[in-house]
């Protein structure tokens, strides 16, 4: 290794180790607990998000999305109570139809596909945000 | 209902309140426990930022947040001053409202400047230990084109490494502005070395020499003559200055003295491990307000707050005696210029060593300056 390269590597190592030792010297038990809590919540959320039920629900929602999108748009125009039951029925029909379709054409759902879906489809984005909010409220916000 | 009252909504007070409120959110929601934070200011100021304000590296707005935004749910914030404590009646009297009754009391009233102790200092000197002081010094430095800058240190004072940090940052700041040649820097210190901690003094001596800083030890600032621009020491030496930057001596809030609970300097006599006020098991003290032989630093208030919160949770829920002990832990960053920093970490038994300064530690400090709020809120 050339001398300059070696110097650069040594400098990086020195910077890195100084940062690590400062971090270690300043960390407190509560910070570590908190980190542990965050890691646990993340794992729990990932676990839930990748569970067969959620994956199939996502696939269902994906199939139902074309129908759901205009329906969700309608929600914003509805007054309180007005036509809610009818709307709920139509949403549930759409989801059931989507679920039937998923059962008829089973296939793997990847994270890439999920992200693509999220970007392309506002209804999916809303549904996923709801779900993540729900997971967050269950695991992250709940008092330990 | 068990009542916890915390006096002082600064670093230590906010942290204890937030730690306890987060741990006992259910009990607070069910009305079994109450947490009241009494503070005479409704804004929190991040004091370590003053050093950066002086050199135009941070704006005041970056250092200030309303207390209300920093509280965990369930804490009642009372914006008022505590004027007297009645330890027998378990009551804190307020300046402008009904007294607060407590089962457990935490005193986190910090420390303030004792300018009267050095005649002439208010008129003749600058300091960066208050926001107003930092802004005035910033304006003075914006006009500064060269001359003799003298740094003097009163004792006791918070943030023990701040005099060194200011000196090293100022040296580099003057170099960057191209006025170092026209500038003489004089660093004075009350002891026979450059810092109260021997290993820090050993490290700092050559660092100051190599920067061309003149060092005067055994210099206990006694008085200032603003007209003549001279600072006198108890030891009988005088130093003339163009700009005097002083670390004024500090003292505790008068609440302790008025209540007959504090000793000389208004510091509360505190148990070094359990942090209770000596002789009382229902009153605790943390941060700058204690008489403990530890640095008056935010990190100390933070480490103490964790221990205290754990003990308070036990007391409030089960009445169990304090099980957690504070070991004198302290951590201080040391800025060694405008781009590099080092740090010291120590406790009652282990003195610090000073590692080589690096850029990474400076960036760490810069990051900390911006995420301090997460620490205060007890979310990190
Ligand atoms: C320039 C400077 C640089 C610093 N740099 C660092 C650093 O790099 N690292 C570090 O760890 N520390 C640093 N510190 C020190 C740090 O800011 C303090 O040690 C820390 O804030 C102490 O916390 P505390 O809770 O004891 O007091 P404070 O944070 O000062 O809070 C005390 C609060 O109590 C209130 N109060 C007082 N009396 C009463 C009363 N009777 N009734 C109601 N309220 C009352 C006060 O108004 C204040 O809000 C620095 C300080 C300064 C000034």
């Amino acid at each position: 290794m050339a001398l300059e390269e070696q110097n650069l590597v040594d400098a990086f190592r020195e910077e890195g180790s100084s940062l690590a030792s400062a971090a270690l010297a300043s960390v407190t038990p509560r910070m570590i607990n908190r980190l542990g809590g965050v890691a646990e919540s993340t794992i729990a959320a990932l676990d839930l998000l990748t569970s067969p039920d959620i994956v199939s629900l996502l696939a269902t929602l994906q199939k139902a999305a074309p129908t759901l999108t205009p329906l969700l748009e309608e929600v914003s125009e509805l007054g309180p109570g007005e036509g809610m039951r009818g709307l709920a029925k139509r949403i549930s029909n759409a989801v059931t139809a989507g679920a039937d379709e998923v059962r008829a054409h089973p296939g793997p759902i990847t994270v890439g596909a999920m992200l693509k879906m999220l970007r392309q489809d506002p209804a999916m984005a809303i549904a996923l945000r709801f779900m993540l909010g729900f997971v967050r409220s269950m695991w992250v916000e709940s008092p330990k | 209902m068990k009542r916890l009252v915390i006096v002082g909504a600064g670093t230590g007070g906010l942290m204890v309140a937030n730690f306890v409120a987060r741990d006992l959110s259910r009990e607070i929601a069910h009305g079994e426990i109450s947490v009241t934070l009494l503070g005479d200011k409704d804004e929190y100021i991040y004091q370590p930022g003053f050093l950066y304000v002086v050199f135009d590296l941070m704006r005041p707005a970056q250092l200030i947040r309303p207390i209300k935004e920093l509280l965990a749910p369930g804490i009642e914030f009372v914006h008022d001053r505590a004027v007297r404590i009645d330890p027998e009646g378990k009551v804190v009297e307020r300046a402008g409202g009904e007294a607060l009754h407590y089962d457990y009391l935490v005193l986190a009233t910090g420390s303030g400047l004792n300018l009267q102790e050095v005649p002439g200092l208010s008129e003749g000197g600058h300091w960066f230990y208050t926001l107003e002081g930092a802004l005035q010094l910033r304006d003075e430095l914006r006009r500064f084109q060269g001359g003799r800058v003298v740094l003097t240190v009163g004792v006791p004072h918070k943030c023990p490494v701040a005099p060194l940090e200011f000196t090293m940052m100022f040296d580099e700041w003057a170099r960057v502005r191209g006025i170092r040649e026209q500038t003489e820097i004089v660093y004075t210190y009350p002891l026979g070395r450059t810092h109260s901690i021997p290993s820090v003094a050993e490290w700092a001596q050559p660092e100051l020499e190599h920067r061309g800083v003149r060092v005067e030890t055994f210099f206990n600032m006694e008085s200032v003559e603003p007209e003549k621009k001279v600072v006198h020491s108890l030891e009988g030496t005088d130093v003339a200055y163009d700009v005097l930057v002083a670390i004024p001596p500090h003292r505790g809030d008068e609440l302790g003295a008025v209540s007959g609970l504090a000793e000389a300097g208004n510091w509360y006599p505190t148990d070094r491990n359990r942090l209770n006020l000596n002789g009382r098991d229902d009153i605790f003290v943390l941060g700058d307000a204690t008489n403990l032989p530890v640095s008056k630093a935010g990190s100390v208030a933070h480490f103490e707050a964790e221990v205290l919160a754990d003990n308070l949770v036990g007391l409030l829920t089960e009445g169990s005696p304090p099980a957690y002990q504070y070991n004198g832990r302290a951590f201080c960053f040391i800025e060694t210029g405008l781009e590099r920093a080092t740090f010291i970490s120590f406790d009652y038994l282990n003195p610090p060593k000073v590692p080589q300064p690096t850029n990474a530690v400076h960036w760490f400090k810069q990051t900390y300056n911006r995420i301090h709020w997460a620490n205060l809120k007890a979310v990190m």
Side-chain angles (χ1 to χ4, degrees), chain B residues 7-14 38-41 43-52 67 80-83 108-111 128-130 158-162 165 250 253-255 286-289 295-301 331-333 365 369:
Chain B
V7 183
T11 313
L14 269 165
L38 177 65
D40 59 359
K41 304 203 173 66
E43 283 181 330
Y44 174 90
I45 305 189
Y46 176 60
Q47 301 168 44
F50 299 161
L51 196 54
Y52 302 89
I67 302 271
D80 202 352
R81 204 182 140 66
V83 290
T109 45
S111 60
F128 53 91
Y129 268 63
T130 58
K158 57 185 149 192
C159 193
V161 291
E165 289 186 288
H250 283 55
D253 185 81
E254 63 183 24
L255 172 68
L286 83 161
D288 293 355
S295 303
K296 297 201 181 299
S299 67
V300 167
F331 175 91
C332 297
F333 286 105
K365 171 76 193 223
N369 286 343

Side-chain angles (χ1 to χ4, degrees), chain B residues 21 56 75 79 82 88 92 114 142 152 161 164 175 191 227 246 270 291 299 304 312 332 352 361 371:
Chain B
D56 270 315
I75 299 172
H79 180 201
E88 303 314 323
V92 178
N114 187 4
R142 281 179 180 174
T152 51
V161 291
L164 285 171
R175 283 175 206 280
L191 302 179
E227 311 78 36
T270 309
N291 71 340
S299 67
E304 290 172 339
L312 285 165
C332 297
V361 174
I371 59 169

Side-chain angles (χ1 to χ4, degrees), chain A residues 14-16 18-19 21-31 34 38 142-144, chain B residues 19 23 25-26 302-303 306 309-310 329 331 343 345 358-361 364 375 379-380:
Chain A
E14 196 187 313
E15 293 283 342
S18 71
L19 183 63
S21 44
L24 278 177
S26 58
V27 80
T28 70
R30 272 178 189 258
M31 287 181 197
R34 190 76 199 158
V38 170
S142 68
K144 295 238 160 31
Chain B
F19 290 146
D23 281 4
S25 57
R26 278 202 196 90
H302 184 168
F303 295 135
E306 293 210 355
D310 286 337
R329 192 173 169 204
F331 175 91
F343 65 94
S345 163
T358 61
N359 293 125
V361 174
F364 186 10
N375 255 186
V379 294
M380 192 188 81

Side-chain angles (χ1 to χ4, degrees), chain B residues 274 310-311 314-315 318-324:
Chain B
R274 299 205 167 156
D310 286 337
N311 284 335
L315 281 165
E318 296 164 18
S320 48
Y324 297 87

Side-chain angles (χ1 to χ4, degrees), chain B residues 163-179:
Chain B
L164 285 171
E165 289 186 288
F166 174 84
T167 307
M168 292 181 190
M169 287 171 83
F170 178 70
D171 165 69
E172 190 167 341
W173 176 88
R175 283 175 206 280
V176 170
R177 296 188 78 207
I179 54 169

